[in-house]
Amino acid sequence: MGAGHGKGRDEGHEHGKGDGDDSYALSGTYSGDVLTVTSISHGRLKVGTKLSGMGLPGKGIVITEMLTGTGGVGTYRFKPL
């Protein structure tokens, strides 16, 4: 599991984990079921990527759709784990 960074709902930073051999270092916010990634310095997001940690809902999220993002900065639809 790789480490990730981000924000949940405009609140403080969160520290999370990615799935598999991938690691993530990202910042962003979420609202409803949309994650907005504002910066990413390590890793590429894709459909099926799982993220968890402080600031994310419940036990974490899984990316279900790439909206404006293509693996980096942009928006992604997610569902809770």
Side-chain angles (χ1 to χ4, degrees), residues 19 22 24 44-50 62-66 70-72 76:
D19 59 327
D22 297 324
Y24 306 92
R44 302 280 302 164
L45 301 176
K46 60 187 179 216
V47 171
T49 297
K50 296 175 185 175
V62 60
I63 304 294
T64 58
E65 183 180 357
M66 299 168 92
T70 58
Y76 301 84

Side-chain angles (χ1 to χ4, degrees), residues 4 6 8-9 18 20-22 30-31 34-36 42-43 45-46 48-49 54 56-57 60 66 71 76 81:
R9 292 191 200 266
D21 295 328
D22 297 324
Y30 73 91
S31 180
V34 175
L35 172 68
T36 301
H42 187 76
L45 301 176
K46 60 187 179 216
T49 297
M54 293 175 20
L56 292 172
M66 299 168 92
Y76 301 84
L81 292 175

Side-chain angles (χ1 to χ4, degrees), residues 6 13 16 19 21 24 27 33-34 42 45 54 59 68 73 75 79-80:
H13 280 80
D19 59 327
D21 295 328
Y24 306 92
S27 295
D33 65 350
V34 175
H42 187 76
L45 301 176
M54 293 175 20
K59 294 181 180 183
T68 64
V73 171
T75 56
K79 67 179 182 180

